[in-house]
Amino acid sequence: MSADPQDSVQEAAPAYRVIGTRPIRQDGLDKVTGRAVFGADVRLPETLYGAVLRSPHAHARLLSIDTRQAEALPGVKAVVTAADLPAITLEGDWGDNLRYQSQNTLAADKVLYYGHAVAAVAAVSPHIASEALRSIQVVYDPLPAALDVRQAMREDAPILLDTLRTDSLGQRGNQPTNVASHARFERGDLEQGFAQAALVVEREFETATVHPGYIEPQNASAIYQSNGQVTIWCSTQAAFGIRDDVANVLQIPVGQICVIPTEIGGGFGGKNSAYLEPLAALLSKKSGGRPVKMAMNYSEVLAATGPTSASYIHVKVGVDRDGLITAAQATLVYAAGAYPGSPLWGGMPAIFGAYRVDNLRVDGYDVVVNRPRSGSLRAPGAANAVFASETVMDEICEKLGMDVLEFRRLNGVRQGDRRSDGVPLPRIGFHEALQAARQHPHYTAPLGGPHRGRGVACAYWGNHGGKSSATASVHADGSVSLLEGSVDVSGTRTSLAMQLAETLGIPLEAIHPRVADTNAVAYTEGSYGSRTTFATGWVVYELGQKLIALLSERAAILWETSPDQVQFAEGVFSHKGGEKRLAFKELAARLDETGSPLMASVSLAAGGAGPAFAVHLVDVEVDPETGKVQILRYTAVQDAGQAIHPGLVEGQIQGGVAQGIGWALHEGYVYDEAGRLLNANLLDYRLPTCLDVPAIEPVIVEMPNPRHPYGVRGVGEIPIIPPPAAIANAIARAVGVRLTQLPMSPGRVLAARLARDA
Amino acid sequence: MQEFDYVRVQSVQEAVALLAGEENRARILCGGTDLLVQLREGQRQARLLVDIKTIPELNQLHYDPVNGLTLGAAVSCLRLCQDETARQLYPGLVEAASLIGSVQIQGRASVGGNVCNASPAADSIPALIVHRAVCRLVGPGGERQAAIEQFCCAPGKTILQRGEILVSLHLPPPPPGFGAGYLRFTPRNEMDIAVVGAGAAVILAEDQQTIRWARLALGAVAPTPLWVEAAGDFLAGRAADAENVQQAARLARQAARPIRDVRGEAAQRSQLVEVLARRALETAIQRARAAVH
Amino acid sequence: MNSKPYAKKVQVQAQINGEPVEFLCEPRQTLLEVLRESLGLTGAKEGCSNGNCGACSVLLDGVLVNACLVLAVEIQDKRVLTIEGLAPREGLHPLQEEFLRQGAVQCGFCTPGMILSAKALLDHNPHPGESEIRRWLAGNLCRCTGYEKIVRAVQAAAERLSQQEAAVEVKP
C-alpha cells in the first residue's frame, strides 16, 4: 500500500505575492453597474431582428416549406431555409460531422427533434419577425419517434439517420442503426475478480436529460459584408469554435470571419457551439449586409440547444471481506440526441475514476434519439455516471458496515495507479481531500432530527489542457495590456492577470486583461474542460518570461552590457555584480530610449492537466409523507491544486454543487409520447432558487500540479459530479430507500418509500 | 407578441362598456403576470387590453367587524400580505397570496387576477373558499354576487359573462374560535405551481375541543378548485382530534379527481391530498385555539 | 367613440432613473423591450421573458417588478429605477460595493436584477435575516454562484447601510 498523506513529503509552498490573494475581479465593476455588454446588449445601427421557426414534431419528413407569404410581409427583409445553406460534399466521418452541424443549424429533409430549426427570418422588429414565422407554411410527414436509448436500440426502432453505421470497437457495422458507437475500457480478468468477491452489488440506473441552464439565452449579431467579410458578436465560451462552426456551415474560409466574444451570461459547456451565428450571418447576407441580431427565448434554449445526455447505466461491483474492490463493471448508454456525440468520453473515465480496480470493464454506447443534439455540461457525462457508481459503493459500505471514507481510503487511487483508460496518475490530492473530509466537523456532527441522513460521494475528473494564446504590450507607465484568447466565463481575466503580475513582479492593478476577438490573437480553445486558468495561465507565465527576457535586453542597452549580465527578481532588473537597478516600471518608462515599443506573444498546447478529486458531504431531511428532500448542510472538499484566487475557486465549487443539486432533485426534460417537450420554460424546468440550496461550504485542499508553473489544476467542472450521488446516499440513510433514477423528485422518493413499505 | 391596443379606464362602467363592445376580443389587464405570458405564447388572444388596475373601486382594502374584509379585485398580493388586519384575521388567504410567485410577481399580481385566471392550481381560490368569500360582479346587465366556489367552471373558464368584471371579493368577519390555513406542495420551495394545494378553516366551540364548523378546499386535483363539502360535514360537531382530522383528510382524497401532468402523477397527488388536507386542518385548529387565548 | 380610437403607437411620459423621459411605443412592447431597445438601458437583462428568472427586475414606483411582465404603456406617470440609476453620481451603492467585495458576481447576467431585488428588500426592511433575504431573492435565478456569496453581500450591505444611517444620526 502506498503512503498515507501524512507520510508524504509536502514540498514547502512557494511564497507568492499575488497568487493566493482575493482581489476584486476586474470585470466586476461593469457587471454591478449594468454597463457590461453581453451578447444581446450589442447595438448596431440599422439592426434587423432575426427569429427561428422550429419543428413542432419530434421526427418528421419535411415535405415542403413555403416562405412566400413571409417574404411579402412589410418589414421582412430576409428568409432562409436549408436550401440557402451550401451543400457539404466532403466524404467520410468529418464530412458527416459537418453535415450534422449544418442540418442542426437548419433541418434539410427531416426534422429530428421538437424545436429543430426549420427556417429563419430577419425583419425590422422582433414582433414582425415572429409574425413572419407564423406565415411560413411547412408541410410535415410525421414519423414515429425514438425518445429514449433503450427504445432507440431496439431492432424495430425508427431510424434517425439513414447513413449511420455503428462504430463498434473500431469495426464499422453494415446495418442502419441508431447506435453510433460502442467503446470499451478493459483490464484484468473480470470473471475471476467477481469470483473472488465476498459481496457483489449490481444495479441499473436511469438519468434524465438536463440542461446547463445558463440564464442568458443564446444570441448573435452578425454583419455579412458584400466583400465576404463576416463579423459576429455573440455570447460564447469558444470564439474560435464559433468561427470554425460558421466557416463549416457556410463553407467560407475562417479568415473571412471575425468573432467578437461579448460578456457571457453563463455557459457551463452549453455555449461552445454555434446555433444562431450562421443564421444571423446568412440573414445579414440576404438582407444586403444589414446587421442581424438574434436571441433565443428560453423555450428555444431548452428545446433546441445542447442539453446533456439522458442515460441508462448498469453497474456491478465486487468486494472482498475487507472491502477491497475485486472487480468493477459498467455499461453506459448515453442519449446523443439527434446526432452522434454524447459525452461518453467524460462518463467512461469518471465512473470508476476514483478507485483502484485491477479487474475492470467499462462499455459505452452512443445512441441517437429524437431529442436535441447533446452538448457539454460541466464535467460532461460524469455526474450521471458517478451517481450510479457512488451509490453502489455506498450500498457496499452499508452492507459491509464499513465507514464510507475508510472504504475510499482503502480503495482510492494514488499516484502511479492507472486510470480506467490505462494511463498512470501523476501526483494527485485525493487522499488529502479524503483526510480533510474526515477531519471536518461536518463528518461527525449529530444529524439532529428524524428522517435525516448524511451522504458522501467522491469524484475524479481528468481536466483538460490544450491550445491557448495571448499577447502582451508594455506601456510607458509600467502597465501591461494582456490580450488573451480565452473567453472569461469564471473570472479568468483576473486569475490570468494575477499569474502575469506574479511572474512580472508588478502589482495586479498594472495588468489590463482583455478577451480578444479572433482576429486579434492566435487560436485558443474554448473556455471548457476546466482549462483556462491552467492552460492560458501557463501561456501567461511563458509570456511573462518572454517579456522579462526582452526587457532584460533593453536594460542591457541602457547599461551598455550584454543581456546575460542582466538578472531579474521580484520585479526588479539589476546588473549582475553591479549597482544598477531598474524596477519594471522604471524600465518601462525608458523603453523609448532603447528603440521600439515592446510586446510579446505566446501560443502553446498545454499537456499535463492535473486530475481533480472531490469529496462531498451532505445532510438531508426527507419528508416521509411527501417525499420532499431538503438539503440541510453541504460541504465540498476539493483538491484545487494551487488556488490562484481562492474566492473564485470557492465560487466555482459553490456554483457547481448548486447545479448538481438541481440535477439531483429537480431538473429533467419531460416529453409526451409524441416527443413534444412539455417543460420548456423556467417554471417547470426547475433550476434551484436560493431557497433550494443551503450555504455550501467549500474546503480547498491545495496539492499543486507539478506540471504547471504555478501548480494549477482545473477546478470548475468537478464540483457538479458528486452531488447527485451524495444526495442519493443521504436519502438512503435518511429513509432507507435507494433511488436509481434522476431526478430524485418528491414523487419518486415517495413512490420508493411506499413501495418498500408495501 | 401579438398586436393589441391598450386603454386605461378609471371606472367600472367604462370598463364594462369597452369589454361588452369589443366582441370578445377585449381582455382585462390587471397585474398582467398571467395574461402577458399567455398573450406572448399565444394561449390567449386579444385585440384590446383594458387596464383596470387604477379604478378606485377595485383598489379597496378595508375591514369592518360587520361586513368583514372588502378586497378590491386589483389589490396586489403584496399589498394584501402587508396589511396587518388581513394577516391577523384571514391567515389562510394571506398565506395563499404570499405563495403566488416571487416578490416581483406579488408586486403586480392581484388576488382578483389569480381568481379570474381560473387555474385549477390557483393558490388563492381554496383559501378564499374556506374563508367563505363572495365575489361581487358588475356587467352590462347590472350587479350580482356569486360564492367563490361557484366562480370557476373549467380550467381557465369562469362564470363571468361578456362585459362582466370581478370588482371585489368579500370575506365575512371571522367568528370567535375561527382558524384557517393554506398550504401547498411544490418540488421547489418557491417559484413553483402547486402540485396539490389545501386550504382549511374551522370554528371551534368554547371548549376548544369540538369543531362547530369546518371547510376544506383543494387545488390542482380537479378541473377547478374543489370544495370538499363532505369533509366539513363530517367534522361539524366532532372532536378536533387526530382521528377525525385524518378521516376528513381521507374524505378529501376520495373527493379529489387528480390527473397526471408535467407537474405530478395522479397517484402522487392522491397521496399528497390526504397529507396536505390533514396538515391544513391541523394548522387551522391550532390557530383557532391560539385565537381564543 | 370612433371605430379605431387607439393609436398604434402611444406616447408615454415617465421618470426613469430620476430623469423625465418621453417615448413612443407599441402597446404590445414590454417595459423591458423599451428599456433595452429604445432607451439603450441594457442593464436589465432578458432571460426567460415570462417572469421566472428575475434578470429584468426593476423598481416601479418603488415596487420590485419583472420588466418583462409590464407593458411600457403601463409606466405612464410612474418612476422606474434600473441598475443604471442605482449608483450615486460618484462611487457605488453599498450593495454594488459588497457584491464586488464578497465575490457575489460571476457571469454577471443575474447581477443587476439581483441587486435591485436586494435594494427593494433593504428599502422594505433594513435589517433582514438570512431567511428573509433568501425569500426576497427567490425570484432571481443565478446559475453560477450557488447564492451563498450573494446572500453574504446583501447582509454586508445591510450592515453598512445601517452604520451609515447611524453615522448620519449622530452628526450634529
Side-chain angles (χ1 to χ4, degrees):
Chain A
M1 177 161 300
S2 28
D4 268 323
Q6 54 264 47
D7 305 330
S8 71
V9 183
Q10 298 270 359
E11 309 89 74
Y16 291 125
R17 203 174 38 81
V18 180
I19 288 172
T21 63
R22 297 167 177 254
I24 287 173
R25 52 193 290 162
Q26 271 116 324
D27 53 328
L29 182 61
D30 281 348
K31 288 179 175 172
V32 297
T33 55
R35 279 196 291 267
V37 177
F38 291 81
D41 301 337
V42 169
R43 289 159 59 84
L44 300 163
E46 294 217 282
T47 289
L48 300 174
Y49 295 84
V52 179
L53 183 69
R54 297 186 180 277
S55 166
H57 301 286
H59 196 190
R61 231 171 277 289
L62 266 177
L63 299 183
S64 67
I65 307 177
D66 185 345
T67 61
R68 283 169 299 182
Q69 224 180 309
E71 280 156 18
L73 211 66
V76 172
K77 300 296 176 187
V79 182
V80 297
T81 66
D84 296 285
L85 293 175
I88 290 161
T89 50
L90 193 68
E91 308 247 322
D93 288 353
W94 185 239
D96 285 339
N97 274 335
L98 299 188
R99 274 182 288 280
Y100 295 152
Q101 175 74 32
S102 173
Q103 288 163 17
N104 200 41
T105 305
L106 282 173
D109 52 347
K110 280 215 300 189
V111 289
L112 294 172
Y113 55 94
Y114 172 89
H116 199 158
V118 168
V121 303
V124 294
S125 96
H127 303 283
I128 294 174
S130 53
E131 273 164 34
L133 295 184
R134 284 195 290 274
S135 67
I136 296 176
Q137 277 133 34
V138 185
V139 182
Y140 296 97
D141 174 20
L143 299 166
L147 288 168
D148 85 23
V149 285
R150 280 183 289 179
Q151 182 197 355
M153 287 173 96
R154 283 207 288 263
E155 291 224 331
D156 60 347
I159 295 293
L160 274 74
L161 304 166
D162 295 334
T163 57
L164 187 67
R165 301 291 180 270
T166 305
D167 178 353
S168 180
L169 310 176
Q171 299 288 310
R172 185 64 58 119
N174 54 15
Q175 294 295 318
T177 178
N178 292 321
V179 181
S181 65
H182 168 211
R184 174 177 289 174
F185 296 151
E186 192 172 27
R187 69 163 165 259
D189 185 333
L190 206 60
E191 261 180 56
Q192 199 191 324
F194 281 120
Q196 286 165 356
L199 170 69
V200 174
V201 173
E202 184 174 6
R203 295 280 174 260
E204 287 182 302
F205 301 86
E206 274 180 338
T207 70
T209 301
V210 296
H211 196 273
Y214 34 77
I215 311 298
E216 177 206 36
Q218 261 83 358
N219 56 69
S221 295
I223 299 177
Y224 198 130
Q225 285 175 287
S226 55
N227 64 1
Q229 289 295 321
V230 181
T231 308
I232 296 170
W233 293 257
C234 60
S235 297
T236 177
Q237 294 171 247
F240 287 91
I242 297 296
R243 181 194 68 174
D244 296 354
D245 279 355
V246 172
N248 288 333
V249 172
L250 301 184
Q251 295 282 291
I252 52 178
V254 292
Q256 273 174 238
I257 305 165
C258 178
V259 173
I260 304 174
T262 63
E263 294 296 340
I264 170 172
F268 317 109
K271 289 180 183 160
N272 289 326
S273 48
Y275 296 94
L276 297 176
E277 293 84 352
L279 296 177
L282 206 55
L283 288 166
S284 173
K285 185 183 187 185
K286 265 197 135 177
S287 56
R290 281 179 73 170
V292 173
K293 176 170 169 174
M294 303 184 82
M296 289 192 188
N297 61 42
Y298 217 90
S299 300
E300 296 178 279
V301 170
L302 288 168
T305 69
T308 198
S309 301
S311 61
Y312 161 81
I313 298 170
H314 169 264
V315 172
K316 183 178 174 187
V317 177
V319 292
D320 69 14
R321 268 183 191 79
D322 301 324
L324 205 64
I325 297 172
T326 59
Q329 183 190 357
T331 303
L332 295 80
V333 186
Y334 279 26
Y339 303 98
S342 64
L344 282 170
W345 54 266
M348 289 175 67
I351 191 159
F352 298 126
Y355 297 95
R356 184 195 302 135
V357 185
D358 293 331
N359 303 304
L360 168 119
R361 191 160 87 204
V362 180
D363 286 286
Y365 295 86
D366 184 36
V367 181
V368 294
V369 296
N370 291 111
R371 297 191 181 208
R373 181 182 208 180
S374 63
S376 293
L377 197 185
R378 204 169 199 153
N384 48 330
V386 168
F387 164 65
S389 55
E390 281 294 87
T391 55
V392 166
M393 299 302 180
D394 194 66
E395 192 176 343
I396 287 171
C397 293
E398 195 179 33
K399 288 191 161 141
L400 292 175
M402 193 167 177
D403 177 87
V404 294
L405 289 179
E406 175 58 20
F407 177 82
R408 271 76 178 195
R409 193 197 63 78
L410 186 65
N411 289 293
V413 283
R414 297 165 190 269
Q415 181 173 359
D417 287 341
R418 285 184 299 150
R419 308 189 311 203
S420 297
D421 63 1
V423 177
L425 285 162
R427 187 72 181 94
I428 52 173
F430 185 25
H431 286 266
E432 287 76 3
L434 284 168
Q435 201 183 355
R438 196 188 278 254
Q439 287 166 352
H440 194 282
H442 185 169
Y443 191 58
T444 47
L447 283 163
H451 313 305
R452 293 183 175 189
R454 176 164 301 141
V456 171
C458 304
Y460 148 87
W461 183 248
N463 290 325
H464 179 57
K467 303 180 192 95
S468 280
S469 307
T471 292
S473 321
V474 179
H475 302 293
D477 62 355
S479 66
V480 177
S481 12
L482 171 63
L483 271 183
E484 37 119 345
S486 289
V487 169
D488 183 350
V489 296
S490 56
T492 50
R493 267 167 293 197
T494 305
S495 62
L496 295 174
M498 287 173 77
Q499 293 181 68
L500 185 57
E502 188 72 53
T503 312
L504 295 177
I506 60 177
L508 177 63
E509 299 69 42
I511 313 273
H512 300 293
R514 190 167 182 159
V515 177
D517 66 55
T518 57
N519 275 350
V521 69
Y523 182 85
T524 300
E525 283 183 48
S527 295
Y528 47 68
S530 301
R531 63 176 299 276
T532 304
T533 302
F534 169 75
T536 315
W538 194 341
V539 164
V540 156
Y541 169 82
E542 298 294 346
L543 190 55
Q545 296 300 334
K546 206 163 173 179
L547 288 176
I548 289 165
L550 292 169
L551 284 161
S552 297
E553 288 173 17
R554 303 301 178 92
I557 295 172
L558 292 173
W559 295 333
E560 295 177 343
T561 181
S562 64
D564 60 5
Q565 291 305 301
V566 179
Q567 60 189 10
F568 174 82
E570 289 171 18
V572 178
F573 296 86
S574 57
H575 192 180
K576 277 182 194 166
E579 302 268 295
K580 289 177 179 149
R581 293 163 53 85
L582 280 171
F584 184 96
K585 188 173 176 175
E586 293 166 330
L587 181 54
R590 296 182 61 186
L591 283 179
D592 262 3
E593 299 170 39
T594 65
S596 65
L598 197 151
M599 66 181 292
S601 295
V602 169
S603 285
L604 60 77
F613 286 84
V615 183
H616 289 196
L617 314 177
V618 61
D619 294 355
V620 305
E621 181 173 311
V622 182
D623 182 333
E625 292 186 316
T626 65
K628 186 158 169 168
V629 176
Q630 293 290 355
I631 297 177
L632 305 173
R633 184 172 184 181
Y634 206 109
T635 304
V637 184
Q638 183 174 326
D639 171 20
Q642 170 67 50
I644 299 297
H645 186 308
L648 295 179
V649 174
E650 289 164 3
Q652 287 298 305
I653 294 174
Q654 291 171 325
V657 170
Q659 215 165 11
I661 289 172
W663 196 340
L665 296 179
H666 303 295
E667 297 176 37
Y669 280 28
V670 182
Y671 284 91
D672 67 10
E673 285 78 10
R676 285 180 293 254
L677 183 58
L678 299 178
N679 59 340
N681 59 65
L682 287 182
L683 182 61
D684 291 313
Y685 186 87
R686 300 184 185 88
L687 306 185
T689 74
C690 63
L691 290 168
D692 303 308
V693 292
I696 296 155
E697 184 185 340
V699 178
I700 298 173
V701 171
E702 292 182 285
M703 176 54 58
N705 174 7
R707 299 281 305 274
H708 186 274
Y710 289 124
V712 173
R713 288 178 200 275
V715 300
E717 290 170 290
I718 194 169
I720 199 177
I721 304 176
I727 293 167
N729 294 340
I731 293 170
R733 307 278 170 155
V735 290
V737 289
R738 292 215 168 259
L739 278 291
T740 56
Q741 289 175 306
L742 293 181
M744 297 176 282
S745 59
R748 281 182 173 151
V749 175
L750 183 61
R753 213 193 55 72
L754 292 174
R756 188 208 50 194
D757 291 352
Chain B
M1 181 89 89
Q2 53 190 285
E3 200 175 349
F4 49 75
D5 291 317
Y6 166 91
V7 61
R8 183 185 305 145
V9 294
Q10 295 304 337
S11 72
V12 172
Q13 288 66 33
E14 206 183 334
V16 167
L18 278 170
L19 290 161
E22 281 278 332
E23 298 299 319
N24 261 353
R25 304 181 81 188
R27 285 200 175 272
I28 295 170
L29 172 69
C30 193
T33 54
D34 285 317
L35 182 66
L36 295 182
V37 175
Q38 291 160 352
L39 291 174
R40 188 179 286 127
E41 291 175 1
Q43 294 155 357
R44 291 196 199 253
Q45 315 297 324
R47 297 302 297 171
L48 172 68
L49 296 192
V50 181
D51 187 347
I52 56 157
K53 68 176 149 295
T54 51
I55 300 176
E57 229 178 321
L58 270 71
N59 281 288
Q60 305 174 81
L61 178 62
H62 60 77
Y63 174 80
D64 73 74
V66 177
N67 296 310
L69 186 74
T70 299
L71 174 62
V75 172
S76 72
C77 292
L78 188 71
R79 202 178 138 206
L80 174 67
C81 292
Q82 289 176 353
D83 186 273
E84 263 318 308
T85 312
R87 290 163 71 98
Q88 242 169 48
L89 299 178
Y90 301 93
L93 175 61
V94 170
E95 239 158 9
S98 74
L99 291 171
I100 298 172
S102 58
V103 176
Q104 287 90 329
I105 299 292
Q106 296 199 343
R108 290 301 275 178
S110 61
V111 174
N114 190 244
V115 168
C116 291
N117 188 52
S119 161
D123 288 304
S124 70
I125 303 176
L128 286 165
I129 291 174
V130 303
H131 280 292
R132 291 183 293 155
V134 171
C135 311
R136 183 174 157 240
L137 318 174
V138 175
E143 185 177 325
R144 63 173 174 142
Q145 297 199 332
I148 181 71
E149 54 268 24
Q150 266 131 40
F151 188 76
C152 299
C153 32
K157 298 264 189 312
T158 69
I159 58 167
L160 287 174
Q161 304 287 311
R162 182 188 300 177
E164 201 171 33
I165 68 171
L166 173 67
V167 173
S168 49
L169 294 151
H170 300 266
L171 286 68
F178 181 87
Y182 175 80
L183 76 165
R184 67 177 189 181
F185 182 81
T186 57
R188 284 191 297 193
N189 288 317
E190 287 255 349
M191 299 298 291
D192 223 327
I193 305 291
V195 179
V196 171
V202 297
I203 302 171
L204 292 184
E206 288 77 5
D207 65 359
Q208 291 196 40
Q209 298 303 328
T210 315
I211 297 172
R212 284 171 49 189
W213 172 95
R215 264 195 178 201
L216 186 64
L218 306 172
V221 292
T224 63
L226 189 66
W227 176 25
V228 188
E229 289 187 74
D233 292 348
F234 170 79
L235 287 171
R238 288 180 202 266
D241 60 21
E243 202 177 309
N244 287 329
V245 165
Q246 187 62 51
Q247 181 55 25
R250 275 194 286 268
L251 291 171
R253 182 176 182 157
Q254 281 167 23
R257 304 189 300 282
I259 56 162
R260 172 192 186 196
D261 65 13
V262 66
R263 298 185 182 122
E265 303 287 330
Q268 177 199 10
R269 286 193 159 109
S270 283
Q271 285 144 6
L272 288 173
V273 164
E274 195 171 323
V275 175
L276 266 64
R278 193 194 74 223
R279 291 180 183 178
L281 279 166
E282 285 167 354
T283 303
I285 291 167
Q286 210 175 17
R287 286 187 178 150
R289 287 186 177 138
V292 176
H293 286 295
Chain C
M1 205 177 279
N2 62 30
S3 61
K4 184 77 175 165
Y6 321 108
K8 196 175 154 63
K9 280 218 174 189
V10 183
Q11 189 171 22
V12 177
Q13 288 137 357
Q15 197 200 75
I16 298 180
N17 298 331
E19 303 283 334
V21 173
E22 243 182 82
F23 58 84
L24 281 176
C25 68
E26 290 181 54
R28 65 176 163 180
Q29 287 184 290
T30 61
L31 173 58
L32 180 61
E33 185 183 344
V34 167
L35 286 174
R36 291 180 51 80
E37 301 296 332
S38 308
L39 304 175
L41 295 168
T42 54
K45 302 299 177 199
E46 182 156 23
C48 71
S49 338
N50 58 10
N52 291 313
C53 79
C56 64
S57 299
V58 299
L59 269 62
L60 182 60
D61 278 352
V63 176
L64 185 68
V65 300
N66 291 313
C68 71
L69 292 185
V70 176
L71 295 175
V73 290
E74 291 182 88
I75 72 159
Q76 175 70 38
D77 299 328
K78 292 187 176 293
R79 286 174 293 120
V80 176
L81 178 73
T82 73
I83 191 69
E84 288 91 343
L86 183 65
R89 195 170 290 273
E90 276 178 39
L92 294 173
H93 187 279
L95 275 165
Q96 293 170 312
E97 281 180 1
E98 289 302 331
F99 265 63
L100 288 178
R101 232 181 255 180
Q102 307 287 333
V105 178
Q106 283 195 29
C107 83
F109 194 76
C110 75
T111 306
M114 204 62 93
I115 288 178
L116 287 169
S117 290
K119 151 100 173 128
L121 165 62
L122 298 184
D123 288 349
H124 165 77
N125 176 6
H127 309 287
E130 174 164 350
S131 59
E132 192 175 10
I133 294 174
R134 285 184 181 266
R135 203 178 64 77
W136 273 70
L137 299 183
N140 294 79
L141 294 175
C142 167
R143 191 61 152 173
C144 295
T145 64
Y147 301 105
E148 168 70 2
K149 287 174 191 276
I150 292 173
V151 173
R152 300 288 158 253
V154 177
Q155 286 172 327
E159 244 165 69
R160 282 185 51 193
L161 279 163
S162 54
Q163 277 165 11
Q164 275 178 18
E165 241 166 62
V168 172
E169 276 162 25
V170 295
K171 268 185 196 163

